[in-house]
PDB file of all heavy atoms in Angstrom:
ATOM      1  N   GLY A  74      16.986  71.386   2.681  1.00  0.00           N
ATOM      2  CA  GLY A  74      17.472  72.146   1.555  1.00  0.00           C
ATOM      3  C   GLY A  74      18.975  71.957   1.414  1.00  0.00           C
ATOM      4  O   GLY A  74      19.549  72.722   0.588  1.00  0.00           O
ATOM      5  N   GLU A  75      19.563  71.057   2.165  1.00  0.00           N
ATOM      6  CA  GLU A  75      20.991  70.830   2.069  1.00  0.00           C
ATOM      7  C   GLU A  75      21.355  70.039   0.809  1.00  0.00           C
ATOM      8  O   GLU A  75      20.551  69.247   0.334  1.00  0.00           O
ATOM      9  CB  GLU A  75      21.538  69.994   3.295  1.00  0.00           C
ATOM     10  CG  GLU A  75      21.435  70.848   4.622  1.00  0.00           C
ATOM     11  CD  GLU A  75      21.841  70.002   5.789  1.00  0.00           C
ATOM     12  OE1 GLU A  75      22.445  68.892   5.588  1.00  0.00           O
ATOM     13  OE2 GLU A  75      21.566  70.427   6.895  1.00  0.00           O
ATOM     14  N   ARG A  76      22.550  70.240   0.294  1.00  0.00           N
ATOM     15  CA  ARG A  76      23.060  69.495  -0.828  1.00  0.00           C
ATOM     16  C   ARG A  76      23.251  68.053  -0.496  1.00  0.00           C
ATOM     17  O   ARG A  76      23.509  67.704   0.648  1.00  0.00           O
ATOM     18  CB  ARG A  76      24.300  70.110  -1.381  1.00  0.00           C
ATOM     19  CG  ARG A  76      24.086  71.492  -1.981  1.00  0.00           C
ATOM     20  CD  ARG A  76      25.320  71.938  -2.710  1.00  0.00           C
ATOM     21  NE  ARG A  76      25.170  73.268  -3.223  1.00  0.00           N
ATOM     22  CZ  ARG A  76      24.514  73.540  -4.358  1.00  0.00           C
ATOM     23  NH1 ARG A  76      24.015  72.570  -5.136  1.00  0.00           N
ATOM     24  NH2 ARG A  76      24.361  74.749  -4.840  1.00  0.00           N
ATOM     25  N   LEU A  77      23.260  67.231  -1.485  1.00  0.00           N
ATOM     26  CA  LEU A  77      23.570  65.773  -1.299  1.00  0.00           C
ATOM     27  C   LEU A  77      25.107  65.616  -1.298  1.00  0.00           C
ATOM     28  O   LEU A  77      25.752  65.911  -2.321  1.00  0.00           O
ATOM     29  CB  LEU A  77      22.945  64.916  -2.407  1.00  0.00           C
ATOM     30  CG  LEU A  77      21.447  65.033  -2.557  1.00  0.00           C
ATOM     31  CD1 LEU A  77      20.945  64.183  -3.756  1.00  0.00           C
ATOM     32  CD2 LEU A  77      20.748  64.620  -1.311  1.00  0.00           C
ATOM     33  N   THR A  78      25.602  65.314  -0.140  1.00  0.00           N
ATOM     34  CA  THR A  78      27.077  65.221   0.046  1.00  0.00           C
ATOM     35  C   THR A  78      27.497  63.777   0.434  1.00  0.00           C
ATOM     36  O   THR A  78      26.625  63.047   0.875  1.00  0.00           O
ATOM     37  CB  THR A  78      27.565  66.198   1.096  1.00  0.00           C
ATOM     38  OG1 THR A  78      27.038  65.800   2.296  1.00  0.00           O
ATOM     39  CG2 THR A  78      27.218  67.665   0.748  1.00  0.00           C
ATOM     40  N   ARG A  79      28.767  63.554   0.357  1.00  0.00           N
ATOM     41  CA  ARG A  79      29.272  62.274   0.823  1.00  0.00           C
ATOM     42  C   ARG A  79      28.963  62.099   2.373  1.00  0.00           C
ATOM     43  O   ARG A  79      28.611  61.002   2.832  1.00  0.00           O
ATOM     44  CB  ARG A  79      30.721  62.065   0.640  1.00  0.00           C
ATOM     45  CG  ARG A  79      31.010  61.475  -0.720  1.00  0.00           C
ATOM     46  CD  ARG A  79      32.466  61.246  -0.917  1.00  0.00           C
ATOM     47  NE  ARG A  79      32.859  62.463  -1.721  1.00  0.00           N
ATOM     48  CZ  ARG A  79      34.118  62.769  -1.938  1.00  0.00           C
ATOM     49  NH1 ARG A  79      35.096  62.029  -1.555  1.00  0.00           N
ATOM     50  NH2 ARG A  79      34.403  63.785  -2.673  1.00  0.00           N
ATOM     51  N   GLY A  80      29.037  63.185   3.060  1.00  0.00           N
ATOM     52  CA  GLY A  80      28.760  63.123   4.500  1.00  0.00           C
ATOM     53  C   GLY A  80      27.273  62.796   4.771  1.00  0.00           C
ATOM     54  O   GLY A  80      27.008  61.962   5.664  1.00  0.00           O
ATOM     55  N   ALA A  81      26.432  63.329   3.994  1.00  0.00           N
ATOM     56  CA  ALA A  81      25.005  63.042   4.142  1.00  0.00           C
ATOM     57  C   ALA A  81      24.714  61.689   3.796  1.00  0.00           C
ATOM     58  O   ALA A  81      23.932  60.905   4.448  1.00  0.00           O
ATOM     59  CB  ALA A  81      24.148  63.983   3.271  1.00  0.00           C
ATOM     60  N   TRP A  82      25.353  61.066   2.703  1.00  0.00           N
ATOM     61  CA  TRP A  82      25.214  59.700   2.321  1.00  0.00           C
ATOM     62  C   TRP A  82      25.762  58.787   3.413  1.00  0.00           C
ATOM     63  O   TRP A  82      25.085  57.756   3.809  1.00  0.00           O
ATOM     64  CB  TRP A  82      25.942  59.361   1.047  1.00  0.00           C
ATOM     65  CG  TRP A  82      25.890  57.984   0.658  1.00  0.00           C
ATOM     66  CD1 TRP A  82      26.918  57.092   0.771  1.00  0.00           C
ATOM     67  CD2 TRP A  82      24.728  57.180   0.287  1.00  0.00           C
ATOM     68  NE1 TRP A  82      26.520  55.811   0.476  1.00  0.00           N
ATOM     69  CE2 TRP A  82      25.196  55.824   0.267  1.00  0.00           C
ATOM     70  CE3 TRP A  82      23.356  57.472   0.205  1.00  0.00           C
ATOM     71  CZ2 TRP A  82      24.232  54.795  -0.127  1.00  0.00           C
ATOM     72  CZ3 TRP A  82      22.527  56.459  -0.155  1.00  0.00           C
ATOM     73  CH2 TRP A  82      22.927  55.113  -0.253  1.00  0.00           C
ATOM     74  N   ARG A  83      26.942  59.112   4.057  1.00  0.00           N
ATOM     75  CA  ARG A  83      27.481  58.349   5.119  1.00  0.00           C
ATOM     76  C   ARG A  83      26.463  58.334   6.350  1.00  0.00           C
ATOM     77  O   ARG A  83      26.267  57.230   6.920  1.00  0.00           O
ATOM     78  CB  ARG A  83      28.822  58.820   5.546  1.00  0.00           C
ATOM     79  CG  ARG A  83      30.016  58.360   4.712  1.00  0.00           C
ATOM     80  CD  ARG A  83      31.306  58.656   5.311  1.00  0.00           C
ATOM     81  NE  ARG A  83      31.560  60.030   5.558  1.00  0.00           N
ATOM     82  CZ  ARG A  83      32.055  60.947   4.678  1.00  0.00           C
ATOM     83  NH1 ARG A  83      32.323  60.455   3.371  1.00  0.00           N
ATOM     84  NH2 ARG A  83      32.217  62.185   4.988  1.00  0.00           N
ATOM     85  N   ALA A  84      25.898  59.397   6.626  1.00  0.00           N
ATOM     86  CA  ALA A  84      24.938  59.465   7.761  1.00  0.00           C
ATOM     87  C   ALA A  84      23.723  58.590   7.514  1.00  0.00           C
ATOM     88  O   ALA A  84      23.247  57.862   8.345  1.00  0.00           O
ATOM     89  CB  ALA A  84      24.489  60.904   8.015  1.00  0.00           C
ATOM     90  N   ALA A  85      23.187  58.613   6.241  1.00  0.00           N
ATOM     91  CA  ALA A  85      22.033  57.788   5.848  1.00  0.00           C
ATOM     92  C   ALA A  85      22.419  56.333   5.913  1.00  0.00           C
ATOM     93  O   ALA A  85      21.691  55.506   6.408  1.00  0.00           O
ATOM     94  CB  ALA A  85      21.562  58.246   4.466  1.00  0.00           C
ATOM     95  N   TRP A  86      23.620  56.056   5.469  1.00  0.00           N
ATOM     96  CA  TRP A  86      24.086  54.608   5.445  1.00  0.00           C
ATOM     97  C   TRP A  86      24.244  54.143   6.841  1.00  0.00           C
ATOM     98  O   TRP A  86      23.938  52.982   7.194  1.00  0.00           O
ATOM     99  CB  TRP A  86      25.388  54.423   4.608  1.00  0.00           C
ATOM    100  CG  TRP A  86      25.827  53.070   4.643  1.00  0.00           C
ATOM    101  CD1 TRP A  86      26.913  52.541   5.361  1.00  0.00           C
ATOM    102  CD2 TRP A  86      25.213  51.907   4.054  1.00  0.00           C
ATOM    103  NE1 TRP A  86      27.040  51.193   5.150  1.00  0.00           N
ATOM    104  CE2 TRP A  86      25.943  50.797   4.393  1.00  0.00           C
ATOM    105  CE3 TRP A  86      24.060  51.765   3.243  1.00  0.00           C
ATOM    106  CZ2 TRP A  86      25.591  49.503   3.968  1.00  0.00           C
ATOM    107  CZ3 TRP A  86      23.701  50.520   2.814  1.00  0.00           C
ATOM    108  CH2 TRP A  86      24.452  49.362   3.202  1.00  0.00           C
ATOM    109  N   ARG A  87      24.906  54.934   7.728  1.00  0.00           N
ATOM    110  CA  ARG A  87      25.107  54.584   9.084  1.00  0.00           C
ATOM    111  C   ARG A  87      23.785  54.221   9.806  1.00  0.00           C
ATOM    112  O   ARG A  87      23.642  53.241  10.566  1.00  0.00           O
ATOM    113  CB  ARG A  87      25.771  55.750   9.848  1.00  0.00           C
ATOM    114  CG  ARG A  87      27.106  55.351  10.357  1.00  0.00           C
ATOM    115  CD  ARG A  87      27.755  56.378  11.290  1.00  0.00           C
ATOM    116  NE  ARG A  87      27.252  57.769  11.236  1.00  0.00           N
ATOM    117  CZ  ARG A  87      27.806  58.734  10.400  1.00  0.00           C
ATOM    118  NH1 ARG A  87      28.805  58.442   9.636  1.00  0.00           N
ATOM    119  NH2 ARG A  87      27.306  59.907  10.379  1.00  0.00           N
ATOM    120  N   HIS A  88      22.754  54.943   9.525  1.00  0.00           N
ATOM    121  CA  HIS A  88      21.461  54.671  10.032  1.00  0.00           C
ATOM    122  C   HIS A  88      20.763  53.417   9.426  1.00  0.00           C
ATOM    123  O   HIS A  88      19.993  52.767  10.151  1.00  0.00           O
ATOM    124  CB  HIS A  88      20.505  55.901   9.905  1.00  0.00           C
ATOM    125  CG  HIS A  88      19.276  55.802  10.610  1.00  0.00           C
ATOM    126  ND1 HIS A  88      18.052  55.628  10.018  1.00  0.00           N
ATOM    127  CD2 HIS A  88      18.956  55.810  11.982  1.00  0.00           C
ATOM    128  CE1 HIS A  88      17.098  55.548  10.893  1.00  0.00           C
ATOM    129  NE2 HIS A  88      17.607  55.707  12.092  1.00  0.00           N
ATOM    130  N   SER A  89      21.080  53.172   8.227  1.00  0.00           N
ATOM    131  CA  SER A  89      20.482  52.009   7.522  1.00  0.00           C
ATOM    132  C   SER A  89      21.269  50.698   7.641  1.00  0.00           C
ATOM    133  O   SER A  89      20.700  49.599   7.540  1.00  0.00           O
ATOM    134  CB  SER A  89      20.322  52.313   6.080  1.00  0.00           C
ATOM    135  OG  SER A  89      19.463  53.479   5.937  1.00  0.00           O
ATOM    136  N   ALA A  90      22.554  50.753   7.857  1.00  0.00           N
ATOM    137  CA  ALA A  90      23.396  49.567   7.824  1.00  0.00           C
ATOM    138  C   ALA A  90      22.987  48.455   8.782  1.00  0.00           C
ATOM    139  O   ALA A  90      23.159  47.295   8.542  1.00  0.00           O
ATOM    140  CB  ALA A  90      24.884  49.977   8.092  1.00  0.00           C
ATOM    141  N   PRO A  91      22.545  48.731   9.968  1.00  0.00           N
ATOM    142  CA  PRO A  91      22.056  47.610  10.859  1.00  0.00           C
ATOM    143  C   PRO A  91      21.014  46.751  10.196  1.00  0.00           C
ATOM    144  O   PRO A  91      20.847  45.529  10.588  1.00  0.00           O
ATOM    145  CB  PRO A  91      21.554  48.364  12.123  1.00  0.00           C
ATOM    146  CG  PRO A  91      22.297  49.662  12.127  1.00  0.00           C
ATOM    147  CD  PRO A  91      22.415  50.061  10.697  1.00  0.00           C
ATOM    148  N   THR A  92      20.216  47.323   9.409  1.00  0.00           N
ATOM    149  CA  THR A  92      19.199  46.518   8.575  1.00  0.00           C
ATOM    150  C   THR A  92      19.897  45.364   7.897  1.00  0.00           C
ATOM    151  O   THR A  92      19.471  44.255   7.952  1.00  0.00           O
ATOM    152  CB  THR A  92      18.390  47.386   7.691  1.00  0.00           C
ATOM    153  OG1 THR A  92      17.711  48.469   8.453  1.00  0.00           O
ATOM    154  CG2 THR A  92      17.346  46.597   6.959  1.00  0.00           C
ATOM    155  N   LEU A  93      20.934  45.743   7.168  1.00  0.00           N
ATOM    156  CA  LEU A  93      21.652  44.670   6.373  1.00  0.00           C
ATOM    157  C   LEU A  93      22.456  43.748   7.314  1.00  0.00           C
ATOM    158  O   LEU A  93      22.629  42.598   7.045  1.00  0.00           O
ATOM    159  CB  LEU A  93      22.608  45.391   5.421  1.00  0.00           C
ATOM    160  CG  LEU A  93      23.447  44.576   4.477  1.00  0.00           C
ATOM    161  CD1 LEU A  93      22.502  43.680   3.623  1.00  0.00           C
ATOM    162  CD2 LEU A  93      24.356  45.353   3.634  1.00  0.00           C
ATOM    163  N   ALA A  94      22.993  44.307   8.442  1.00  0.00           N
ATOM    164  CA  ALA A  94      23.734  43.484   9.341  1.00  0.00           C
ATOM    165  C   ALA A  94      22.924  42.306   9.848  1.00  0.00           C
ATOM    166  O   ALA A  94      23.534  41.208  10.077  1.00  0.00           O
ATOM    167  CB  ALA A  94      24.237  44.338  10.535  1.00  0.00           C
ATOM    168  N   VAL A  95      21.709  42.420  10.051  1.00  0.00           N
ATOM    169  CA  VAL A  95      20.876  41.326  10.532  1.00  0.00           C
ATOM    170  C   VAL A  95      20.848  40.179   9.525  1.00  0.00           C
ATOM    171  O   VAL A  95      20.734  39.039   9.909  1.00  0.00           O
ATOM    172  CB  VAL A  95      19.415  41.848  10.837  1.00  0.00           C
ATOM    173  CG1 VAL A  95      18.503  40.679  11.261  1.00  0.00           C
ATOM    174  CG2 VAL A  95      19.400  42.850  11.950  1.00  0.00           C
ATOM    175  N   ALA A  96      21.018  40.487   8.281  1.00  0.00           N
ATOM    176  CA  ALA A  96      20.875  39.460   7.226  1.00  0.00           C
ATOM    177  C   ALA A  96      22.197  38.615   7.093  1.00  0.00           C
ATOM    178  O   ALA A  96      22.197  37.567   6.490  1.00  0.00           O
ATOM    179  CB  ALA A  96      20.602  40.085   5.864  1.00  0.00           C
ATOM    180  N   ASN A  97      23.340  39.082   7.690  1.00  0.00           N
ATOM    181  CA  ASN A  97      24.562  38.450   7.517  1.00  0.00           C
ATOM    182  C   ASN A  97      24.588  37.009   8.071  1.00  0.00           C
ATOM    183  O   ASN A  97      24.948  36.051   7.325  1.00  0.00           O
ATOM    184  CB  ASN A  97      25.775  39.210   8.197  1.00  0.00           C
ATOM    185  CG  ASN A  97      26.000  40.518   7.456  1.00  0.00           C
ATOM    186  OD1 ASN A  97      25.702  40.645   6.309  1.00  0.00           O
ATOM    187  ND2 ASN A  97      26.632  41.475   8.147  1.00  0.00           N
ATOM    188  N   LEU A  98      24.223  36.756   9.304  1.00  0.00           N
ATOM    189  CA  LEU A  98      24.307  35.411   9.829  1.00  0.00           C
ATOM    190  C   LEU A  98      23.261  34.524   9.168  1.00  0.00           C
ATOM    191  O   LEU A  98      23.620  33.389   8.798  1.00  0.00           O
ATOM    192  CB  LEU A  98      24.044  35.448  11.397  1.00  0.00           C
ATOM    193  CG  LEU A  98      24.188  34.136  12.105  1.00  0.00           C
ATOM    194  CD1 LEU A  98      25.587  33.418  11.689  1.00  0.00           C
ATOM    195  CD2 LEU A  98      24.113  34.297  13.648  1.00  0.00           C
TER     196      LEU A  98
END
Side-chain angles (χ1 to χ4, degrees):
E75 293 177 15
R76 292 191 181 279
L77 303 177
T78 64
R79 272 185 261 173
W82 174 251
R83 277 192 301 274
W86 178 252
R87 246 189 334 270
H88 188 250
S89 299
T92 301
L93 183 60
V95 176
N97 290 340
L98 186 53

